[in-house]
Amino acid sequence: MEYNFYLEQKYLYEGQVEARILTATQAEAMGYKDDYIAACTGHKLYVDGFDSIDAIRSYLGDLVNCTLIE
């Protein structure tokens, strides 16, 4: 995998975002890679790769109506 961590972001059609941090191993097991996009029932899914948890947290700070799923 290209990055150490990945952020799975579900953009719900109601205007909410649900995000989950994944390790490279978890992302790979789910078939994700950097810049993965999929249209799903009820949401659009985006996956982005990051080098660190701090980089993800900084990115999350810019998202509106976002809930981090732990």
Side-chain angles (χ1 to χ4, degrees):
M1 298 291 293
E2 187 176 348
Y3 293 94
N4 294 324
F5 300 96
Y6 289 79
L7 184 64
E8 175 191 73
Q9 305 149 77
K10 292 181 181 178
Y11 284 77
L12 307 174
Y13 294 127
E14 304 87 49
Q16 297 288 105
V17 179
E18 292 180 351
R20 185 167 57 136
I21 298 171
L22 305 170
T23 65
T25 303
Q26 291 170 316
E28 185 174 33
M30 298 174 86
Y32 293 160
K33 59 183 179 185
D34 188 40
D35 294 329
Y36 178 90
I37 299 173
C40 305
T41 302
H43 67 276
K44 192 155 186 183
L45 178 69
Y46 294 88
V47 178
D48 294 303
F50 293 86
D51 291 321
S52 70
I53 295 289
D54 288 339
I56 289 175
R57 294 207 184 274
S58 177
Y59 176 83
L60 286 171
D62 292 335
L63 293 180
V64 176
N65 293 327
C66 180
T67 302
L68 182 60
I69 309 297
E70 308 250 4

